[in-house]
Amino acid sequence: MINWIKWLVFGVLTLLSVTAIALYISLRLSLPALDGNSATYHVDAPTELSRDGLGHAIVKANDIFDAAYALGFAHAQDRFFQMDLQRRTASGNLSQWVGDIALDIDKKARFHQFEQRAKAVFENLPARQQELLVRYAHGVNDALSEYTLPPFEYLAAGVDVVQWRPTDSILVIYSMYMDLQGSQVELDLAREALLSTFGQDVYGFITQPSNYQAALDASEIPLLDAPIPAYPASLRTTAPQPDEGTPKEDTAIARAQYNAAELPDIGSNNWAVTGAHTSTGAGLLANDMHLSLRVPIIWYRAQLNYQDAGKNVQVTGVSLPGLPGIVVGTNGHIAWGFTNANLDNVDWIALDDDTATTTVTERIPLPDGEHEFSFDVSRFGPVRELNGKRYALNWVAHHPFAANLGIVDFGTANSVDAAVKAGKRIAIPTQNLVIVDKDGSAAWLPGGAVMARERATFTAIKESDTANTSAQRATNLPEVINPSMGRIWTANARVVSAEDTKVWGNGGYALGARGQQIRDRLFEKDTFNETDFYAIQLDNHAQFLIPWQHLLYGLLNMQDIEFKPDLAYLNAWKECACEDSVGYTLVKYFRQEVVQTLFGGLLSTLDKQGVNSRTLLRGIEPATWQLIHSQPSSWLPADTESFDELLVDAYRRAKHKLLDKYSPVEADMETLAWGKVNALSVEHPFASQIPLVGSMLNMQQVEGFGDTYMPAVQAPKFGASERFFVSPGHLEDAILTLPGGQSGHPLSDFFTAGFNDYAVHAATPLLPSKPIHSRVFYKKEAE
């Protein structure tokens, strides 16, 4: 019997070993060839693609078209899974990979009909940009033709690799629209639901301006000067009658379960100073784009070297797999960076009862069949229903002027003035474009497609109030060039003047606390270098939460016996989102529980109507503090005597939720250190689905150090997708640190290369080092 068990165990181990060896060999066979020569019909002159020790792709080409071919080849070798994921996300074809679990995501994408729109955009592009996309697609497909085995994701999902089309690159741009402006689409409808359900007083209270404002011209939108509205009667429940002589409300709020938190600060930080504030006299730029972090990471290091009009061009920075060109970078004369601008680019139009619509049916492929999805479309756009009323969506992403490849023109701009002209032509999701040049100039402008409008709208508009003309791209956007203060900053909050906001609106601005903190850091010194800018980007001072810490400490101090350990942690919280701070965790989740307690009934009511109320939380801070200071009894939940009781109970719930999650047995408060609660986990989307070895696809987990509402933005799967610091003309000191490696192949030497620098906040050089691999493409002669 014992021998039989031994042989069984031995057999199982042998089988596992053979399987592991076969898997390893298969993965090795799918590694791309990084060295050698090859011939292709799709370059006009010898073109070199080399890589350094980080896997940084270095392209040397005769012109921008050959460079696009080589970049497409590199992207496909290292990141084709990512590229495919982007086009599938925008076209609504994820379910073909992963099944029903992605149907809701695919339906949202199909609602926008991006696949059809991509074809229209491509047909309207200038011939030069069309050729760039065609050459890029040839590079991608030539790399795919070399696969001995497809990437492991395709083997795991059981789907085939499909060749890249020029229009797929347009889909990649649309995927960024969904990432960067998708919450705008939801926000306007949530505002409409809030207004129509609870009336103007509650709407104005929830959406009021805050005192966290940091526009470049220092203008301020006046704060709300109105009494706090009573809690909506429709959400109150009858409570027991009080004893005689004890005045008390006869109704009370039923506490709703609401667990949503604020949306992450998508869109990022960037700032700059003019040459008056650097030792070299050149401008200095910082940029960190906040996005979801996963394996492979979103950006790809590249340097493109080519000739244009007889002049040498060298552009270094990050590219987006799926697109030719550098998205954020420098050509040595200028440097540029982006953050999400959040200008209003969405209108929901309340259709008349007799407005005609047509029904569109989309067939979404599944692994074992297909799913039919139908929706109505009007002349204004696709239609959704809210509380029995039809609303049509007019979104900038739906128009042909929403996408182009104008961003490649930054490669030949040699000054801020020239770059501003190029910035006005690019068509991407609207960004705060910040530019500096080697002569010391600096500028800001909204870069990307913005719909022309006479006045901003915040909720749905009547069909009768819409213009009969087709949507047009705005041409009269504001700009700031060489401000007298010598400093520019953006952080997803309002940058435009208060007056301009009446025209360009609010597409979901960040609260503004982060922008204020960056602005204040920029006025603490007169002269800056790259290291100084890196320190600002890593600033995790909890300025925003200090009032919340004071409030919580005061409340718990009145009940010292129960909360003595808690007070010790709060007293030692360090005023920062630091790895070892338990106090920070307690304060953050206390605030979140208070917001959910006060507004959960309102917001969950909106969610039941089919909107995303979470989008309203970005601006909830001023209303929250008005309630805390004024303490109106109508806002107290059932069985709650006072606001102090409400706030202390909220803290108890927050603390117990944390302990239930992180220390359910020992209830050890030390497990609530912020570094553990907010640990950075950069993971592959398939890792959890692959037994035994799936975790090997992830980056090493790192203790978290930042948070929202501060320059050092970080959540477990969200944060700075790059850290970029550059002064044109001084690129030897430039920094580009990324949260992962160049290659998506787990056996590649470049799979994790560079991640450690990101984890320990080191400065990875922007410029590539000496190449260690090289491919050369020669023109293949026609037979």
Side-chain angles (χ1 to χ4, degrees), residues 38-44 69 138-139 142 777-781:
S38 55
T40 174
Y41 293 116
H42 307 303
V43 298
D44 295 324
Y69 170 89
H138 283 313
D142 279 359
F777 307 99
Y778 295 98
K779 183 173 179 60
K780 189 175 184 178
E781 298 300 331

Side-chain angles (χ1 to χ4, degrees), residues 190-251:
R191 288 171 177 158
E192 174 65 20
L194 178 65
L195 179 62
S196 61
T197 304
F198 298 116
Q200 180 61 49
D201 289 346
V202 171
Y203 172 83
F205 178 61
I206 298 292
T207 62
Q208 64 180 294
S210 80
N211 59 328
Y212 293 100
Q213 301 186 43
L216 288 178
D217 70 341
S219 63
E220 294 189 359
I221 297 173
L223 303 182
L224 181 68
D225 184 16
I228 296 174
Y231 194 83
S234 60
L235 299 182
R236 302 185 66 83
T237 58
T238 301
Q241 292 295 322
D243 295 335
E244 187 176 350
T246 306
K248 185 177 180 181
E249 297 273 358
D250 63 355
T251 59

Side-chain angles (χ1 to χ4, degrees), residues 321-605:
L323 288 173
I326 300 298
V327 176
V328 165
T330 179
N331 64 5
H333 302 281
I334 66 164
W336 67 95
F338 294 116
T339 71
N340 209 17
N342 290 324
L343 300 185
D344 185 16
N345 269 303
V346 170
D347 288 326
W348 283 99
I349 299 164
L351 298 179
D352 296 336
D353 292 340
D354 59 352
T355 297
T357 61
T358 58
T359 300
V360 172
T361 299
E362 295 276 335
R363 290 177 171 81
I364 303 172
L366 297 168
D368 55 356
E370 64 179 21
H371 175 87
E372 283 195 1
F373 168 57
S374 298
F375 57 95
D376 289 342
V377 175
S378 73
R379 67 186 181 93
F380 301 102
V383 177
R384 279 179 62 178
E385 188 172 300
L386 174 64
N387 295 332
K389 181 73 176 175
R390 297 178 304 161
Y391 296 88
L393 175 62
N394 178 27
W395 180 19
V396 67
H398 291 170
H399 300 292
F401 58 79
N404 67 26
L405 287 186
I407 200 167
V408 300
D409 294 337
F410 285 137
T412 55
N414 58 11
S415 68
V416 156
D417 289 340
V420 166
K421 291 178 181 178
K424 293 179 178 179
R425 297 191 297 267
I426 65 176
I428 56 176
T430 316
Q431 301 291 293
N432 289 308
L433 169 58
V434 175
I435 312 161
V436 297
D437 67 23
K438 65 180 182 181
D439 294 324
S441 291
W444 163 86
L445 72 155
V450 181
M451 288 195 298
R453 57 183 66 218
E454 295 181 1
R455 194 167 186 84
T457 60
F458 298 88
T459 57
I461 58 179
K462 296 179 180 178
E463 183 176 339
S464 58
D465 292 337
T466 61
N468 290 323
T469 56
S470 61
Q472 301 292 321
R473 180 173 178 172
T475 58
N476 59 334
L477 292 163
E479 61 186 48
V480 174
I481 301 177
N482 290 329
S484 58
M485 58 189 169
R487 298 164 174 86
I488 289 172
W489 59 88
T490 83
N492 315 127
R494 178 175 65 88
V495 174
V496 302
S497 69
E499 191 64 26
D500 281 337
T501 303
K502 297 176 182 177
V503 177
W504 306 116
N506 177 354
Y509 286 136
L511 181 67
R514 181 160 44 92
Q516 279 190 351
Q517 198 159 324
I518 292 169
R519 176 201 64 192
D520 293 347
R521 293 288 184 259
L522 288 174
F523 281 95
E524 289 178 350
K525 295 183 65 176
D526 288 328
T527 304
F528 296 87
N529 59 29
E530 291 83 355
T531 302
D532 297 324
F533 271 17
Y534 207 150
I536 295 175
Q537 201 173 101
L538 297 176
D539 176 16
N540 64 352
H541 179 58
Q543 184 67 38
F544 171 76
L545 283 182
I546 288 175
W548 285 97
Q549 189 270 352
H550 289 169
L551 172 66
L552 181 57
Y553 192 89
L555 287 166
L556 302 190
N557 200 38
M558 292 187 293
Q559 304 181 49
D560 179 59
I561 295 177
E562 179 184 354
F563 296 112
K564 191 170 184 178
D566 310 63
L567 288 166
Y569 286 118
L570 291 173
N571 196 46
W573 80 307
K574 299 183 180 181
E575 294 187 358
C576 67
C578 297
E579 292 93 330
D580 59 349
S581 179
V582 174
Y584 183 88
T585 306
L586 299 176
V587 174
K588 176 186 173 65
Y589 282 87
F590 164 63
R591 174 188 176 273
Q592 181 173 299
E593 191 67 30
V594 169
V595 169
Q596 292 171 349
T597 300
L598 291 172
F599 299 101
L602 282 161
L603 299 178
S604 59
T605 300

Side-chain angles (χ1 to χ4, degrees), residues 91-148:
S91 62
N93 283 296
L94 285 175
S95 298
Q96 189 177 22
W97 258 4
V98 297
D100 292 359
I101 193 173
L103 268 178
D104 286 344
I105 298 173
D106 282 347
K107 288 177 183 179
K108 286 183 179 180
R110 296 287 179 126
F111 182 75
H112 302 295
Q113 297 181 288
F114 282 138
E115 191 145 24
Q116 297 91 317
R117 298 185 195 282
K119 296 174 183 176
V121 166
F122 180 81
E123 291 170 0
N124 284 282
L125 288 177
R128 181 172 183 266
Q129 294 186 22
Q130 288 183 342
E131 179 62 17
L132 280 173
L133 291 178
V134 169
R135 290 286 196 97
Y136 178 85
H138 283 313
V140 173
N141 292 327
D142 279 359
L144 296 184
S145 70
E146 293 188 355
Y147 281 170
T148 304

Side-chain angles (χ1 to χ4, degrees), residues 274-330:
T274 63
H277 298 284
T278 66
S279 60
T280 63
L284 181 62
L285 170 74
N287 195 85
D288 60 308
M289 296 179 281
H290 303 155
L291 292 165
S292 297
L293 303 180
R294 59 178 180 263
V295 177
I297 58 175
I298 188 167
W299 305 116
Y300 184 86
R301 295 175 179 275
Q303 182 183 85
L304 306 182
N305 299 270
Y306 57 92
Q307 286 199 331
D308 185 277
K311 295 182 179 179
N312 292 328
V313 177
Q314 182 183 84
V315 193
T316 312
V318 293
S319 60
L320 178 61
L323 288 173
I326 300 298
V327 176
V328 165
T330 179

